[in-house]
Amino acid sequence: MPMIRRLRRIVRRVQHKAVDLSHPARSPLGSAVVNCVVYRNGKRQSGSWAGLSGPEALRRVRDEGDGGFVWIGLHEPDEQEIAALAEPFGLHPLAVEDAVHAHQRPKVEPYDDTLFAVFKSVCYVEHDELTATSEVVDTGEIMVFTGRDFVITVRHGRHGSLGPVREHLEADPEQLAMGPSAVLHAIADFVVDEYLSVADAVQHDVDAVETQVFSPDAGQVDPGRIYQLKRELLELKRSVSPLARPLATLAERRSPLIDPGVQAYFRDVGDHLATTVEQIASFDALLDSILQAHLAQVTVAQNEDMRKITAWAAVIAVPTMVCGVYGMNFEHMPELGWRYGYFLVVSVTAVACFLVHRGFRRRGWL
């Protein structure tokens, strides 16, 4: 099962890269409007519904009163573009401000007849080799306004396209028929699945660093790589961990905007999030251990070098001492007038150096 789940996440990540509804060619309704679609009984409406603006589609849905809803997708809208939707959809000014400026913590906030949710989207940045400046995790944001008969999604960042989510829901009319809360759950599930995919990819970087630190070439490891990976892991943690409480709120607190048949599924998303949080925590602890091990290896290597330098200094000290004695230039030194004095001194010096060197070799200093 874990292998099958991992393969499903990989397939979804490939689909996510292939489908990007933020492209201008797929956004005929405006610079920020990615799509505006009406769903009734779990089916996408076409024909006279196509090409309607958001307020027009909402007005028609409410006039017919058949349980349909509008799903509007926006990509990095400005204040004017989202203000055109705020009044007809009854969006709260504080939530509108958050949706425009982004950089929000994951949260779920009720505003009158609207539920405002913020999710941090993450994406693994592919790289050939991890360096001290490599970007590993890229983050964005997905805001979701959920009402009784509408869903407005606002996406910030270069990734996190909701095209795969829309296509997945349209392939399952029974789930889509549950209304806007089913869309909210699908987005939450999609975001958390991306967390799991990114965590799996980061694990390969952690394993690569660990392997190199404990390899024979450990002395060539750049500690900046470990620090960089820890910084990127911290960014991932800041995106993932705060989502636990909002998901618990969606799963446990009753809300007229959340279908009871959908609410239980948020608990499953929360379980997957908890798995990711535990994974990230284990990566962080492992990187701490790897960094400490690397610093210990550096210290041991430095001590080894100092022992070698000290041993060679002791070997060189023998001829230095002898030369120092005979360099004093005293007139009455017994060996100076002896024909074999020079050869004797050199021989004694060489033997002494050999014995000192042999002693250090036996102790493993050389």
Side-chain angles (χ1 to χ4, degrees), residues 21-287:
L21 297 182
S22 67
H23 194 279
R26 301 293 296 275
S27 305
L29 304 179
S31 60
V33 180
V34 175
N35 218 330
C36 178
V37 181
V38 175
Y39 295 95
R40 298 169 62 185
N41 299 321
K43 296 181 180 180
R44 181 174 183 152
Q45 302 301 296
S46 56
S48 61
W49 294 92
L52 294 178
S53 65
E56 292 173 346
L58 180 65
R59 189 180 308 112
R60 186 170 171 182
V61 165
R62 289 179 174 175
D63 289 342
E64 297 189 5
D66 56 357
F69 69 94
V70 184
W71 183 356
I72 301 176
L74 304 174
H75 180 251
E76 297 184 354
D78 56 28
E79 295 182 3
Q80 294 180 350
E81 289 169 326
I82 200 169
L85 301 175
E87 184 176 352
F89 283 85
L91 307 182
H92 196 278
L94 291 176
V96 170
E97 182 181 357
D98 290 345
V100 172
H101 299 290
H103 303 295
Q104 304 296 318
R105 283 173 58 87
K107 60 183 179 180
V108 174
E109 295 181 344
Y111 290 102
D112 300 329
D113 294 331
T114 305
L115 199 64
F116 179 63
V118 178
F119 302 98
K120 283 283 190 180
S121 59
V122 298
C123 175
Y124 179 76
V125 180
E126 299 290 345
H127 47 269
D128 296 331
E129 183 180 359
L130 180 67
T131 66
T133 58
S134 294
E135 184 181 11
V136 179
V137 178
D138 187 23
T139 61
E141 291 182 37
I142 299 176
M143 287 85 163
V144 185
F145 294 91
T146 306
R148 295 181 183 274
D149 47 17
F150 68 87
V151 175
I152 300 176
T153 55
V154 181
R155 183 167 62 88
H156 291 266
R158 298 171 296 176
H159 61 275
S161 171
L162 297 177
V165 178
R166 189 185 293 271
E167 293 176 357
H168 175 73
L169 284 172
E170 290 178 355
D172 188 359
E174 184 177 351
Q175 181 181 5
L176 193 56
M178 294 182 180
S181 58
V183 177
L184 179 61
H185 164 263
I187 294 174
D189 187 50
F190 169 76
V191 169
V192 173
D193 276 352
E194 288 298 298
Y195 292 165
L196 291 169
S197 299
V198 172
D200 289 342
V202 170
Q203 183 174 3
H204 291 294
D205 287 328
V206 175
D207 292 342
V209 170
E210 182 182 20
T211 300
Q212 188 169 9
V213 165
F214 292 100
S215 68
D217 299 330
Q220 300 179 1
V221 175
D222 180 10
R225 297 176 57 196
I226 305 176
Y227 281 113
Q228 177 65 13
L229 192 54
K230 280 185 66 66
R231 284 195 295 267
E232 294 294 310
L233 198 62
L234 179 61
E235 183 176 0
L236 179 60
K237 183 178 180 180
R238 288 173 177 170
S239 300
V240 174
S241 298
L243 186 58
R245 181 172 295 179
L247 286 179
T249 300
L250 292 172
E252 298 170 3
R253 185 177 301 175
R254 293 292 181 181
S255 171
L257 299 175
I258 303 297
D259 189 291
V262 176
Q263 190 168 26
Y265 289 95
F266 283 105
R267 190 176 298 111
D268 180 66
V269 178
D271 292 340
H272 292 170
L273 180 70
T275 301
T276 307
V277 172
E278 292 174 358
Q279 246 184 316
I280 295 173
S282 65
F283 292 160
D284 191 43
L286 181 58
L287 284 175

Side-chain angles (χ1 to χ4, degrees), residues 305-321 353 356 360 365-366:
D305 293 339
M306 288 302 300
R307 287 199 306 178
K308 291 182 179 180
I309 294 172
T310 302
W312 282 113
V315 173
I316 296 174
V318 175
T320 301
M321 181 189 66
C353 289
V356 173
F360 284 127
W365 285 39
L366 289 174

Side-chain angles (χ1 to χ4, degrees), residues 305-349:
D305 293 339
M306 288 302 300
R307 287 199 306 178
K308 291 182 179 180
I309 294 172
T310 302
W312 282 113
V315 173
I316 296 174
V318 175
T320 301
M321 181 189 66
V322 175
C323 294
V325 171
Y326 282 90
M328 291 185 291
N329 294 324
F330 288 123
E331 232 178 278
H332 302 288
M333 294 183 70
E335 299 85 354
L336 294 180
W338 187 32
R339 176 182 296 181
Y340 303 104
Y342 170 77
F343 300 101
L344 178 63
V345 170
V346 171
S347 300
V348 171
T349 301

